[in-house]
C-alpha cells in the first residue's frame, strides 16, 4: 500500500552532477525516515543521505558533495550529487520508513524502491 519510485540515475563523467528523485505514495499516515542508500557490486548497502526524525544524516564519504532536500511535492525528496567520482557508481535506493494505513499490512514498515543505477565513468 506504499509505493516508492526513484528516478534520475544515469551515466555521468567524473566531476559531473546528477539529481535523483524519490516519491512515496499510497496510504501513508506518517513518515519517520526517508532517504537514499547505495550498493556497489560486492559491497554492503550504505547510507548516502536521509531525513530521520527531524535531522539530516549523510554518509561519511559524502564530504559536502551531496545535498538532500524536500521538494514542493508531498512525500518527495531529491538528492543533488556533485563532484561525482567513479567510486560513487552504484545502485541508489530510496528507503521510506512509514506508518501505512488501509488494507494490506497496516502499521510501521520499511519500503524500498526498485533502485536507480548511477555510473560515473569517462
Amino acid at each position: 500500500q506504499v509505493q516508492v519510485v526513484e528516478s534520475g540515475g544515469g551515466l555521468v563523467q567524473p566531476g559531473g552532477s546528477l539529481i535523483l528523485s524519490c516519491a512515496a505514495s499510497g496510504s501513508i499516515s506518517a513518515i519517520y525516515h526517508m532517504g537514499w542508500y547505495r550498493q556497489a557490486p560486492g559491497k554492503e548497502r550504505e547510507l548516502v543521505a536521509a531525513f530521520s526524525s527531524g535531522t539530516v544524516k549523510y554518509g561519511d564519504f559524502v564530504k559536502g558533495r551531496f545535498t538532500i532536500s524536500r521538494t514542493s511535492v508531498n512525500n518527495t525528496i531529491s538528492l543533488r550529487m556533485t563532484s561525482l567520482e567513479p567510486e560513487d557508481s552504484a545502485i541508489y535506493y530510496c528507503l521510506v520508513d512509514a506508518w501505512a494505513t488501509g488494507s494490506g499490512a497496516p502499521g510501521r514498515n520499511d519500503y524500498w524502491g526498485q533502485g536507480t543505477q548511477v555510473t560515473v565513468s569517462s
Side-chain angles (χ1 to χ4, degrees):
Q1 66 273 36
V2 175
Q3 297 79 41
V4 179
V5 178
E6 305 105 333
S7 61
L11 173 65
V12 64
Q13 292 187 341
S17 301
L18 276 177
I19 297 176
L20 306 183
S21 295
C22 172
S25 61
S27 303
I28 299 172
S29 177
I31 292 179
Y32 306 98
H33 177 104
M34 186 170 182
W36 291 96
Y37 293 75
R38 71 183 189 182
Q39 188 166 21
K43 295 187 177 182
E44 293 187 354
R45 194 169 294 190
E46 60 181 349
L47 169 70
V48 179
F51 293 103
S52 185
S53 301
T55 65
V56 178
K57 300 180 180 180
Y58 288 98
D60 291 341
F61 62 88
V62 170
K63 298 180 180 178
R65 299 180 298 135
F66 301 172
T67 303
I68 189 172
S69 60
R70 292 186 174 93
T71 74
S72 59
V73 179
N74 201 30
N75 296 337
T76 300
I77 61 173
S78 66
L79 180 70
R80 177 173 174 81
M81 303 187 293
T82 63
S83 301
L84 284 162
E85 304 166 352
E87 293 73 24
D88 294 315
S89 297
I91 299 176
Y92 284 67
Y93 297 91
C94 183
L95 168 65
V96 179
D97 171 7
W99 188 281
T101 61
S103 62
R108 183 172 179 174
N109 292 287
D110 287 345
Y111 301 91
W112 290 93
Q114 79 286 354
T116 185
Q117 178 71 49
V118 172
T119 302
V120 184
S121 175
S122 56

